[in-house]
């Protein structure tokens, strides 16, 4: 499997922006679809965004569509989540995840093979 380390979280005011990064190591990064999930206190982990192994297709939760952008740079073994127009309800621990290329449904957390440790994003009103 691939090892993942997230960074870039922090405290930001509503309307602000953050860019999360996820550095991968251990196996060939381009062999994996990549996803971002988040988990708020008292809530189950929910899908945020995903990108296929080649970067050719992206998927977004309705709650973040138009505000967040997922991208990947396979040469740098890194996936990004650009978060704009942040809202207090975006506050959560954000997790980077990797799924093997034969995975079909990238919105389901149990379809992913590897997870990072998470990075906290807090949006103040």
């Amino acid at each position: 499997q691939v090892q993942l380390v997230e960074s870039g979280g922090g405290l930001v005011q509503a309307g602000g922006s953050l860019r999360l990064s996820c550095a991968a190591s251990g196996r060939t990064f381009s062999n994996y679809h990549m996803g971002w999930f988040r988990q708020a206190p008292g809530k189950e982990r929910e899908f945020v965004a995903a990108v296929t192994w080649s970067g050719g297709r992206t998927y977004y939760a309705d709650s973040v569509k138009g505000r967040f952008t997922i991208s990947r740079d396979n040469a740098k073994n890194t996936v990004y989540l650009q978060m704009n127009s942040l809202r207090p309800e975006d506050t959560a621990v954000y997790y980077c995840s990797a799924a093997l290329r034969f995975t079909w449904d990238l919105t389901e957390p149990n379809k992913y093979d590897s997870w990072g440790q998470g990075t906290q994003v807090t949006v103040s009103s």
Side-chain angles (χ1 to χ4, degrees):
Q1 61 180 325
V2 62
Q3 290 76 51
L4 306 171
V5 179
E6 303 98 331
S7 62
L11 176 64
V12 65
Q13 288 187 325
S17 298
L18 286 172
R19 188 178 77 160
L20 305 184
S21 298
C22 175
S25 63
R27 294 197 177 187
T28 304
F29 180 62
S30 61
N31 286 345
Y32 296 88
H33 307 303
M34 301 298 298
W36 287 96
F37 291 77
R38 66 188 183 187
Q39 188 166 20
K43 302 290 184 64
E44 293 191 356
R45 191 167 298 187
E46 67 173 353
F47 171 74
V48 176
V51 60
T52 54
W53 68 272
S54 66
R57 298 185 68 183
T58 57
Y59 307 86
Y60 297 95
D62 288 342
S63 60
V64 307
K65 194 172 298 181
R67 300 187 298 120
F68 291 10
T69 302
I70 188 171
S71 62
R72 66 190 298 160
D73 187 339
N74 287 349
K76 297 180 178 179
N77 291 345
T78 303
V79 62
Y80 305 96
L81 185 68
Q82 178 66 47
M83 305 185 294
N84 298 326
S85 301
L86 283 162
R87 304 165 181 169
E89 53 263 41
D90 295 318
T91 296
V93 177
Y94 283 70
Y95 296 91
C96 177
S97 57
L100 294 173
R101 289 172 60 178
F102 56 74
T103 302
W104 291 103
D105 187 357
L106 298 182
T107 69
E108 293 292 334
N110 61 6
K111 300 297 185 180
Y112 286 77
D113 303 286
S114 301
W115 294 85
Q117 82 289 343
T119 185
Q120 176 70 48
V121 172
T122 302
V123 184
S124 62
S125 60

